Amino acid sequence: MPHFDQTLDVKGAKCPMPLVKSRKAITELPVGQVLQVISTDRGSVADFQGWVKTAKNVELVAQETVQENGQELYVHYLRRTA
Amino acid sequence: MTFTQDQSTVTEISPRELYARLLSAQPLFILDVRNEDEFKRMPVEGHATLRTLNLPYFDFIEDEEAALARLPKDVEEVVVICAKGGASQYVAEVLNNHGYRAVSLTDGMIGWGNYYDVRDVASAAWGRIVQIARPARGDLSFAIISDGQAALVDPLRHINVYRELIEGAGAKLTAILDTHVHADHISGGPALAKETGAPYYIHPYDAIHPIDMLPAVIAYEPLRDGQVFQIGQVRVTSIWYPGHTLGQVNFLAETPDGGRYLFTGDGIFLRSFGRPDLGGKGEAWTPILYRSMFEWLPRYLTDDTMILPAHFSTLDEDAGNGIFAAPYKQVLAQNDSLKPRTLEEFTSYVLSHLPVFPPEYVEIKRVNIGLVEPCDGKANELELGKNICALAG
Ligand SMILES: [Fe+2]
């Protein structure tokens, strides 16, 4: 698991909420820190990849899929770069 | 801006309304807010009057002004589409706040992909022939209903559509007929047979997976060339037509008023014909298809035989009423791929018009003869995208 500074739990939130909430959280994150986002929305994997391509101050450090109580969690690690 | 999905005030457009708009050929603007890969794999298609722009929803979240600036200024109404119907609500709300009139497609591409359109091809004292289309995939299936009996040709995966249609007509399903074992979509035939007890017919040559060389483990009745099914007053005859698959058949329905309806499956289409390479043996099957198409088919076709294929490639093939059928004479006139050719010319025509071979097609054939049983999610994934059964135009 990569290093992270803060966690955002968006389990159960459907598209577009995981990304809406992440964007907001990144804005409030100190520059250089990493945000862990935990989502149950499978579509978020491709969407976060697409988003960071044009996002101004966000870098996608890592993504992983983990099992928790029989459900898949899609975990994203986002660094605020500026 | 605050946004809660459950309290969205955005107007929605249903897949049914969207389809009516697409068919009408009125100008229409679609803003598809999925990511680029998803959009490319399966866009909503229409006539030339349809304009589509792909602008992912996260572009609106990242920089609303920049995203808005990329929209054309001359559109009156925007139909916003996403994967499941959530992000499209979000973007439609943004658009509405900026002077556009935007509506969001209910349930997104999931809703569109699983939408079925049902309409009569013919309706007379003897009964009805009904077209059941899945427009997003370009898949067509048919029901023949006469005197309380019903037969289905190439029923698609969501079998309740057929059960409701037949129940609504007060008929009993007596035969489930597949023109061939499909590669591009999951047949509803085996499931309908299980639930209704009606026999499911396929030609035995299609009951062996052409690549695995493994036999079907589903229950089916072997279909014979020339086998006749009497559906009320309608006589349905199977005609072997190998080439797209070795066990492909055409079904000729003859009605008491002299009507002739040929269900061609993936034999000939209105603007193309079914590719001979999906069994992995294109070279060996092309001459077989040639014989079916140029030697056998003309023997049972008359100029006014209605051609009803299992697929359309574009909405332009619509006869004008949402029916994808045309008399043989008209098909000949508008289908360049059916022009007389020598075997050599035909072979090079096939080779130069082969589209990509979607890898999932091998797996779909396994599913259709029971070698693999997918869950619902997997089935949706296998069937993503439009059929690629025809040669490219
Ligand atoms: Fe097909």
Side-chain angles (χ1 to χ4, degrees):
Chain A
M1 190 186 298
H3 159 84
F4 59 91
D5 303 288
Q6 289 185 41
T7 292
L8 175 68
D9 183 341
V10 287
K11 280 185 239 172
K14 292 193 187 113
C15 175
M17 294 324 285
L19 220 140
V20 169
K21 289 184 171 162
S22 298
R23 173 72 272 180
K24 195 160 172 285
I26 286 281
T27 311
E28 288 156 9
L29 196 73
V31 175
Q33 285 202 359
V34 172
L35 177 73
Q36 179 197 48
V37 182
I38 305 171
S39 170
T40 46
D41 176 30
R42 190 153 74 105
S44 67
V45 177
D47 289 353
F48 273 65
Q49 289 168 14
W51 169 46
V52 297
K53 276 186 208 158
T54 51
K56 283 178 289 283
N57 57 353
V58 192
E59 179 195 348
L60 186 60
V61 181
Q63 282 181 315
E64 56 188 18
T65 307
V66 295
Q67 294 282 338
E68 188 196 75
N69 305 327
Q71 106 175 313
E72 302 233 294
L73 298 180
Y74 307 95
V75 189
H76 317 278
Y77 297 89
L78 301 160
R79 178 184 287 115
R80 177 164 179 181
T81 56
Chain B
M1 112 178 233
T2 54
F3 175 82
T4 34
Q5 261 174 293
D6 298 336
Q7 294 161 14
S8 171
T9 52
V10 167
T11 310
E12 301 215 335
I13 182 170
S14 68
R16 173 192 293 273
E17 291 166 304
L18 175 65
Y19 189 50
R21 299 275 296 272
L22 290 168
L23 280 178
S24 78
Q26 294 294 309
L28 183 63
F29 183 79
I30 288 180
L31 176 65
D32 193 318
V33 299
R34 292 174 297 161
N35 66 54
E36 199 185 340
D37 290 345
E38 290 173 318
F39 170 70
K40 281 194 176 145
R41 185 151 182 211
M42 188 177 184
V44 172
E45 296 178 345
H47 293 290
T49 46
L50 170 67
R51 279 196 292 168
T52 307
L53 178 68
N54 174 222
L55 213 50
Y57 73 92
F58 41 78
D59 287 3
F60 285 87
I61 293 169
E62 182 63 26
D63 190 341
E64 200 172 288
E65 297 304 317
L68 285 165
R70 292 180 56 192
L71 286 170
K73 297 286 164 272
D74 62 333
V75 290
E76 273 188 25
E77 189 196 33
V78 181
V79 175
V80 190
I81 289 177
C82 70
K84 295 178 198 154
S88 56
Q89 284 188 356
Y90 174 91
V91 173
E93 194 159 317
V94 172
L95 260 54
N96 285 336
N97 290 340
H98 286 81
Y100 287 94
R101 193 152 51 83
V103 295
S104 162
L105 175 64
T106 310
D107 298 331
M109 286 304 284
I110 302 246
W112 174 238
N114 292 339
Y115 168 66
Y116 284 69
D117 173 79
V118 180
R119 52 186 85 202
D120 282 355
V121 177
S123 178
W126 50 259
R128 294 157 70 195
I129 290 176
V130 186
Q131 171 192 276
I132 304 100
R134 195 174 166 192
R137 304 201 75 264
D139 289 346
L140 303 165
S141 59
F142 304 90
I144 301 157
I145 304 169
S146 178
D147 287 354
Q149 295 191 310
L152 292 172
V153 177
D154 290 329
L156 304 162
R157 179 160 59 98
H158 300 86
I159 60 173
N160 281 342
V161 182
Y162 304 94
R163 301 200 68 177
E164 280 166 25
L165 170 70
I166 292 170
E167 257 166 51
K172 184 180 187 307
L173 181 60
T174 54
I176 305 162
L177 310 170
D178 262 354
T179 54
H180 62 295
V181 168
H182 300 276
D184 69 291
H185 64 265
I186 296 169
S187 171
L192 274 162
K194 224 183 230 175
E195 287 205 12
T196 65
Y200 172 56
Y201 291 91
I202 51 172
H203 193 285
Y205 287 175
D206 271 19
I208 293 175
H209 193 284
I211 289 165
D212 301 350
M213 296 310 288
L214 290 174
V217 295
I218 49 157
Y220 71 94
E221 294 291 327
L223 194 59
R224 263 185 301 109
D225 182 23
Q227 190 163 350
V228 173
F229 300 86
Q230 195 67 42
I231 312 299
Q233 300 175 49
V234 182
R235 181 186 155 95
V236 181
T237 311
S238 85
I239 306 163
W240 188 40
Y241 184 98
H244 176 68
T245 65
L246 292 181
Q248 158 99 29
V249 300
N250 287 176
F251 290 107
L252 178 66
E254 293 167 286
T255 58
D257 53 6
R260 289 165 62 88
Y261 300 83
L262 188 71
F263 304 98
T264 59
D266 288 12
I268 59 170
F269 298 125
L270 298 182
R271 302 272 172 94
S272 181
F273 60 82
R275 55 195 294 186
D277 65 316
L278 289 180
K281 299 173 180 66
E283 252 171 73
W285 291 12
T286 299
I288 298 175
L289 178 63
Y290 181 80
R291 188 183 53 190
S292 294
M293 217 164 124
F294 292 102
E295 288 173 30
W296 295 358
L297 182 70
R299 290 185 203 156
Y300 52 88
L301 275 176
T302 54
D303 279 356
D304 56 356
T305 301
M306 285 299 279
I307 304 295
L308 300 108
H311 292 298
F312 63 84
S313 293
T314 76
L315 277 193
D316 295 333
E317 291 163 51
D318 167 24
N321 47 5
I323 302 294
F324 295 86
Y328 180 53
K329 191 178 179 180
Q330 190 187 322
V331 174
L332 268 185
Q334 71 195 10
N335 190 337
D336 177 62
S337 72
L338 302 184
K339 274 211 309 232
R341 288 183 169 85
T342 64
L343 176 58
E344 259 183 7
E345 290 166 348
F346 182 73
T347 305
S348 69
Y349 180 88
V350 167
L351 285 176
S352 60
H353 289 78
L354 282 182
V356 293
F357 189 147
E360 62 273 21
Y361 279 19
V362 176
E363 183 76 355
I364 292 175
K365 276 203 192 214
R366 290 187 187 116
V367 173
N368 277 334
I369 58 172
L371 300 176
V372 171
E373 262 182 71
C375 63
D376 250 22
K378 175 78 178 159
N380 271 330
E381 233 166 75
L382 283 171
E383 289 190 332
L384 250 186
K386 201 168 162 193
N387 84 83
I388 315 183
C389 296
L391 288 186

